[in-house]
């Protein structure tokens, strides 16, 4: 994990994410790239392309540069290589572009975790990044002074197609010697008898070299509630799931964009891995 991307809008939730990214960077000797998306107001035509808007553009840009420099002077970033990027683009598109161009290995984002109408506005960009990012995404909701996820819940159907992202999850867990609570959520619409669920899970994990784990089967009305309730029951420090940009096939387990919903509704940090 060489390069960690942290999008920031200078909110407290974005700073929560940056503080966690700093802790991860110290453990992995990583570089942090701070990204601010400058979405300028414009009327009728593109603000960047209209000459009369240039003073306005410079005003916003200079303000952003000043804010980024103040942020980079924070004590918790001392000794970490940090660079900054200002991108004239919409948030989601810009994050995806910067991630690919800069060969980002990991994205850490803050999220308010709201509900109702606000969720549509605030959560939408984070949900899109979670769904479409090719690299793991860690979503932070609250300030975490000591990010050491000892109890790491991973919910899945443990199908063959998640083997590659599961290895990424193990590599992350090894960094902290996390205990993996591997859970299959049984729901009325996708129910498996215990002996079948246990066989699926045991056959899956025996291919991986990570002894610090336990297996669980948890019954609930739907997958999202099951993941949240199980995570509460074991006092999880971190929730992990796989994501799929397409909503077919594998999505029988993640029907209804479970990963994106969890990003909005979970109080705990959520990390996602792309299939």
């Amino acid at each position: 994990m060489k390069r960690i991307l942290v999008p920031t809008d200078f909110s407290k939730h974005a700073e929560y994410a940056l503080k966690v990214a700093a802790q991860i960077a110290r453990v992995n000797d990583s570089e942090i790239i701070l990204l601010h998306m400058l979405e300028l107001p414009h009327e009728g035509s593109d603000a960047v392309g209209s000459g009369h808007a240039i003073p306005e553009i410079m005003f916003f840009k200079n303000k952003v540069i000043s804010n980024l420099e103040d942020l980079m002077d924070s004590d918790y970033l001392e000794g970490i290589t940090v660079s900054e990027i200002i991108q004239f683009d919409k948030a989601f598109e810009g994050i995806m572009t910067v991630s690919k161009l800069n060969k980002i290995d990991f994205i850490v984002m803050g999220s308010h975790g709201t509900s109702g109408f606000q969720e549509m506005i605030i959560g939408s960009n984070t949900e899109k990044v979670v769904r479409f990012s090719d690299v793991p995404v860690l979503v932070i909701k609250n300030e975490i002074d000591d990010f050491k996820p000892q109890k790491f819940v991973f919910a899945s159907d443990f199908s063959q197609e998640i083997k590659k992202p599961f290895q990424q999850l193990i590599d992350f867990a090894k960094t902290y010697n996390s205990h993996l609570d591997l859970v299959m959520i049984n729901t009325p619409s996708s129910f498996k008898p215990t002996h079948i669920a246990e066989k699926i899970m045991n056959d899956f994990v025996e291919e991986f070299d990570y002894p610090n784990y336990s297996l669980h089967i948890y019954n609930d009305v739907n997958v999202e509630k099951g993941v949240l309730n199980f995570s509460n029951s074991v006092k999880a420090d971190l929730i992990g799931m796989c994501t799929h940009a397409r909503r077919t096939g594998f999505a029988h387990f993640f029907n209804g964009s479970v990963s994106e919903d969890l990003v909005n509704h979970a109080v705990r940090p959520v990390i996602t891995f792309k299939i």
Side-chain angles (χ1 to χ4, degrees):
M1 189 189 301
K2 295 301 181 185
R3 290 187 166 188
I4 302 173
L5 179 66
V6 184
T8 182
D9 58 1
F10 307 113
S11 66
K12 65 178 182 179
H13 291 88
E15 187 164 18
Y16 296 159
L18 181 57
K19 287 180 178 180
V20 170
Q23 296 176 58
I24 295 171
R26 290 188 191 283
V27 173
N28 293 277
D29 193 24
S30 307
E31 171 190 359
I32 290 177
I33 297 179
L34 262 176
L35 170 66
H36 179 77
M37 306 307 304
L38 195 53
E39 296 187 51
L40 297 173
H42 57 278
E43 298 178 7
S45 61
D46 181 30
V48 177
S50 54
H52 67 83
I54 289 178
E56 184 182 19
I57 293 170
M58 293 308 299
F59 171 80
F60 281 110
K61 184 175 181 180
N62 288 336
K63 179 61 176 175
V64 169
I65 291 172
S66 176
N67 289 341
L68 284 173
E69 289 176 349
D70 289 344
L71 201 54
M72 291 170 69
D73 287 337
S74 301
D75 291 343
Y76 56 82
L77 292 175
E78 186 175 353
I80 299 172
T81 301
V82 184
S83 56
E84 61 188 55
I85 295 176
I86 299 172
Q87 183 90 354
F88 292 89
D89 206 343
K90 294 182 179 179
F92 166 69
E93 289 83 352
I95 292 169
M96 292 294 95
T97 299
V98 169
S99 179
K100 287 180 172 62
L101 288 178
N102 292 272
K103 298 180 180 178
I104 296 299
D105 302 301
F106 196 70
I107 298 174
V108 184
M109 299 183 69
S111 176
H112 294 67
T114 55
S115 59
F117 178 75
Q118 277 190 313
E119 178 181 293
M120 295 169 60
I121 308 299
I122 298 170
S124 60
N125 287 315
T126 304
E127 287 180 6
K128 288 179 182 177
V129 173
V130 163
R131 188 187 309 164
F132 292 104
S133 174
D134 290 329
V135 302
V137 180
L138 174 62
V139 180
I140 300 297
K141 299 295 188 67
N142 302 296
E143 189 163 19
I144 303 175
D145 293 326
D146 190 16
F147 183 76
K148 292 180 179 177
Q150 298 302 296
K151 293 284 287 181
F152 188 171
V153 167
F154 177 67
S156 176
D157 61 355
F158 300 95
S159 59
Q160 295 300 301
E161 60 184 332
I162 72 159
K163 286 184 176 180
K164 183 177 179 180
F166 187 72
Q167 184 59 58
Q168 290 180 300
L169 179 141
I170 286 178
D171 293 341
F172 187 84
K174 284 180 177 177
T175 303
Y176 300 97
N177 192 29
S178 306
H179 177 81
L180 288 179
D181 283 296
L182 307 177
V183 60
M184 180 181 290
I185 307 298
N186 252 340
T187 69
S189 62
S190 180
F191 183 84
K192 292 182 178 66
T194 298
H195 71 282
I196 292 177
E198 287 178 343
K199 185 178 188 312
I200 291 172
M201 297 176 76
N202 280 306
D203 289 348
F204 182 89
V205 297
E206 70 178 8
E207 298 183 31
F208 297 89
D209 180 22
Y210 195 78
N212 191 11
Y213 73 89
S214 55
L215 303 179
H216 309 269
I217 301 164
Y218 194 85
N219 301 324
D220 215 319
V221 294
N222 59 49
V223 174
E224 182 191 349
K225 289 185 181 299
V227 175
L228 292 174
N229 289 332
F230 175 76
S231 299
N232 289 337
S233 72
V234 299
K235 296 181 172 59
D237 301 307
L238 179 63
I239 300 171
M241 296 190 78
C242 291
T243 60
H244 207 302
R246 293 170 292 125
R247 304 222 179 156
T248 57
F250 158 93
H252 79 275
F253 181 72
F254 296 98
N255 191 25
S257 309
V258 175
S259 298
E260 294 100 288
D261 289 343
L262 277 171
V263 164
N264 269 323
H265 300 145
V267 176
R268 293 172 167 81
V270 176
I271 186 170
T272 60
F273 301 86
K274 177 73 171 293
I275 293 176

